[in-house]
Structures are given as structure tokens and as C-alpha cells.
Amino acid sequence: MNDTSFDDVAFLATLGTTPDSQATLSRLHDRLAAGAASSGLLDVAYRTLDTPVGTLLLAATDQGVVRIAFDVEGHDAVLDRIARTVSPRVLRAPGRLDRLATEIDEYFAGERRAFDLPLDLTMASGPFRREVLTHLRDIGYGRTESYAQVAAAAGSPRAVRAVGTACAKNPLPLVVPCHRVVRSDGTSGSYAGGAEAKRLLLALERAA
Amino acid sequence: MKPFERVVAEHGATVLRVCRAVLGPVDAEDAWSETFLSALKAYPRLDEGANVEAWLVTIAHRKAIDVTRVRARAPIAVPDVAGLTHEPSRDGLPERGVEQRDDDLWRALAALPPKQRQAVAYHHVAGLPYQEVAAILGGTTEAARRAASDGMATLRRTYPPAGPSAARAPSARASKGSAS
């Protein structure tokens, strides 16, 4: 039984509908994020960043960048997965991602060829996938390798499909350059951010 | 378990309303901050099926008591809500104008005995069932229901206060049947 009449709710609701309530909540949110960071409770900080390949979700633990996600992956779904696999203590807190955001901006401006931030590979599951990601970081700016070449370099020449999966599930695209892995016939192949995004990145690096 | 950010997005406004109802507009912000920081700390251990809003209001209840103690005010004391709009800004930002209507409501809430004010806040503002309200306040479900009902009866008399603004539909409220 609920005896709250519409009338009661209406007048008590004014407590939260003053014109400054949204501004207050936004200010309180920022204060919470700062307090969480200084108390060591900000397990995962995230922000978004607009880029030529769409709005990216950037997330970091205190160990390093833990996830970069494209729009098409669904940012809410990605945040859900971070909460399950890393920690549910996830807050929008741009500060920790400022340097990464700057580096990505510079990359798209053609002014940066490598990212030099600490990475957190928590979301890369399995030794083989991690091995592949480690190798990908050695493929230099503007160069490409085929899936077969990466498989050989990772020590499993027959695991071409598994390399494809490792690239598709790369938690740190752009920074770990899975876009530089292409098909043996020279076509760019699929990409977590969409084939169009992959072509854009390869063209950007060729032009620079 | 969903990202804590979503907990803040879904319940932040309600918790702020509850804190304002219990503490008034200024102390409410400290209580809100303490509540969500404390909730963030405990969040990974929260039961998956828990009622998150009831959990947050329970924490807010404790934090409100702490804030009141820190300010060295007896919990029963009526805060000087009338003076709030003229209090200098404490955070360096321009003084925030508080609408007269909210001012009146806060004054009416502040004049209630604490148990009644809390019961009104947790049931009528947060929307928790009386059983949850009783668990937070201690005492029986019936006592929580009575406290909220007595509080609402007083509010209907004292808010809106007598004066020119009292013309705002007092009859609708007066015609309401028994509260329980």
C-alpha cells in the first residue's frame, strides 16, 4: 500500500527541481570523482573523445589505459563489461585520460607516430592474445603486416584465424595498432571500429 | 554489477532531494558527497539483488546524522533555513538564488521533529516502502507510517505558509483523505 498521493509528490518534488539542480548534480559528480581519485577508489576512470573515426570511449585504471572503444561497439555495453571484468567502481572522470586524449588528437592531426602511455592489459584474455598484442606494438607507423605474418611472429604460424580474433577483440585499438594487420591480398579486412575506420587510419598513416 | 557511474546517474537526484529534505540545501551537498563516496567504497560488495535506492538512502541517513554532528547542531534543532538565502557563498561561486517556494518548504520541513522529517523524506521523497523506512529509522513499520503521516499532516498545515503565496491550491491538499 502506498498512500503517497500525486499531490504530496508534487509539492515535495520541488526539492529537486530548482533551476540549479542539474548544475548542482553535475558539480557534485565532479567533486565525487575528485574525492574518489584522492581516496584510491577510482578503479576505472573514463571519458569520451570526438575523433575522425567517431566518438571514442577512453578508460584507464591506475595502472594504465585499459580500454578504448568505438561508437559501434556501444559505449554502455563496453562500460558494463569493464564493470564486470575490471571493477564496478567506474566513474566518468576525464582527468586521468587527458594525456591519452591529447596523444590521440595529435595522432589524427598527423603529428604523432607512437603512443607512449602505460597500458593495462587486464581486458586482453589469454596468453596467445596477449602475445599477439605485444607483437602488434612492434608494427611501426605506416607499415602493415598480414594476419599470417602476425601468426608466425607470435609463434603459431597456423593460428591465422586466432590472430583475427585477437585483433577483433583488441581492448586497446589505435594504441595497440591492430589496424595495421591486413589481409594477405592487401585489402584492409574487418575492424572493431568498422572497415571504413580502418581504411581511414591506414590512409592517414600513408599520407603522413 | 553495473558501473557506479550509472548508480550516480539513476539515483543522484533522489538522494539530493532526500538530503535537502533532511538537512536543508547547504548541508545537503556535503551529505550527498559523503554518501556517494562511502557507497562507492562498499559498492563491489553490494548484493546483486539489493534495492540500491534503499541502500543509498540508508547511507544518506547515517551521513546526514554525521553532518549534523559535525556542525555541532543538536539533531532536533531547527536550522535557520530562513537565513540561507542570505548566507554568503561558501565555495567562491556566486550566491545561488533559492526560490522562495523551496525556502518555504525547507522551513516547513525543518520545523518537523527529526523522525517525522526523516520518515517523510524516505517515504514520500525517496519513495521507499514503510518497511524499508522502519529498517532505517529503527522501530516498527507502523511507527514509520505514523511518523510520515503526522509529518505530512503538519506540512499540509504549514506549507504553503500563510500569506499572499498561500493561494496556491491549498484546497486540493486539504481535501485529501486520511493519510494512512
Side-chain angles (χ1 to χ4, degrees):
Chain A
M1 294 299 243
N2 191 333
D3 64 6
T4 301
S5 73
F6 177 76
D7 191 29
D8 291 343
V9 174
F11 88 88
L12 288 167
T14 63
L15 285 167
T17 54
T18 53
D20 67 349
S21 276
Q22 273 314 311
T24 301
L25 282 169
S26 157
R27 188 163 42 79
L28 288 173
H29 177 284
D30 294 348
R31 194 205 275 186
L32 171 65
S38 63
S39 328
L41 294 172
L42 186 55
D43 292 353
V44 181
Y46 76 88
R47 61 164 285 174
T48 55
L49 178 71
D50 291 329
T51 74
V53 291
T55 303
L56 298 178
L57 176 75
L58 314 177
T61 64
D62 59 0
Q63 300 297 303
V65 185
V66 74
R67 187 76 167 90
I68 296 173
F70 294 98
D71 248 340
V72 291
E73 297 178 80
H75 289 176
D76 279 347
V78 171
L79 287 169
D80 278 339
R81 182 147 184 84
I82 290 173
R84 284 197 306 273
T85 58
V86 183
S87 165
R89 289 191 188 123
V90 179
L91 280 176
R92 183 169 43 73
R96 193 183 281 174
L97 285 316
D98 278 351
R99 223 180 112 199
L100 176 63
T102 303
E103 292 201 0
I104 291 175
D105 282 340
E106 290 167 355
Y107 170 80
F108 280 109
E111 296 160 1
R112 173 171 288 278
R113 290 169 163 258
F115 296 92
D116 51 10
L117 293 167
L119 305 182
D120 180 338
L121 291 177
T122 303
M123 298 191 77
S125 57
F128 181 73
R129 284 191 195 159
R130 287 190 190 204
E131 182 62 40
V132 170
L133 297 186
T134 302
H135 173 70
L136 292 184
R137 298 183 73 185
D138 296 333
I139 308 177
Y141 187 93
R143 286 177 40 223
T144 57
E145 282 187 14
S146 69
Y147 291 97
Q149 281 173 306
V150 174
S156 307
R158 295 165 63 87
V160 178
R161 274 190 91 84
V163 168
T165 306
C167 289
K169 293 189 182 294
N170 174 13
L172 297 162
L174 294 183
V175 172
V176 174
C178 57
H179 60 277
R180 293 176 195 151
V181 184
V182 298
R183 290 199 185 126
S184 304
D185 65 8
T187 58
S188 59
S190 60
Y191 190 54
E196 184 56 40
K198 189 170 186 174
R199 279 193 290 274
L200 188 149
L201 296 173
L202 291 171
L204 168 81
E205 296 189 6
R206 269 198 307 272
Chain B
M1 188 153 249
K2 59 181 155 190
F4 194 74
E5 178 71 24
R6 217 166 293 153
V7 172
V8 181
E10 285 170 14
H11 304 288
T14 300
V15 172
L16 183 59
R17 275 202 299 277
V18 167
C19 291
R20 282 174 169 176
V22 174
L23 289 170
V26 174
D27 286 346
E29 299 197 6
D30 285 344
W32 190 99
S33 296
E34 293 291 322
T35 297
F36 276 96
L37 197 58
S38 178
L40 175 64
K41 189 172 186 180
Y43 186 55
R45 296 187 303 277
L46 181 67
D47 194 52
E48 283 274 9
N51 177 341
V52 175
E53 193 141 290
W55 174 67
L56 288 169
V57 172
T58 305
I59 299 172
H61 172 71
R62 284 192 231 114
K63 295 301 176 187
I65 292 170
D66 290 350
V67 167
T68 309
R69 281 195 190 127
V70 166
R71 296 240 182 269
R73 283 185 199 141
I76 297 168
V78 177
D80 184 13
V81 185
L84 282 176
T85 48
H86 307 298
E87 192 171 274
S89 162
R90 295 184 309 160
D91 53 12
L93 296 170
E95 208 173 308
R96 284 181 290 279
V98 178
E99 287 185 348
Q100 183 62 38
R101 194 173 59 142
D102 290 327
D103 204 9
D104 292 342
L105 179 51
W106 279 317
R107 196 184 292 115
L109 279 161
L112 295 178
K115 270 265 155 68
Q116 292 185 18
R117 186 166 70 239
Q118 289 156 348
V120 167
Y122 306 153
H123 178 72
H124 292 280
V125 179
L128 299 185
Y130 287 120
Q131 206 178 338
E132 299 271 10
V133 178
I136 294 169
L137 294 179
T140 63
T141 303
E142 188 43 43
R145 185 195 305 275
R146 209 176 319 117
S149 159
D150 291 349
M152 288 306 292
T154 305
L155 284 180
R156 279 183 206 105
R157 269 190 293 108
T158 57
Y159 175 83
S165 64
R168 206 175 346 96
S171 57
R173 234 170 267 138
S175 67
K176 217 181 84 66
S178 158
S180 52

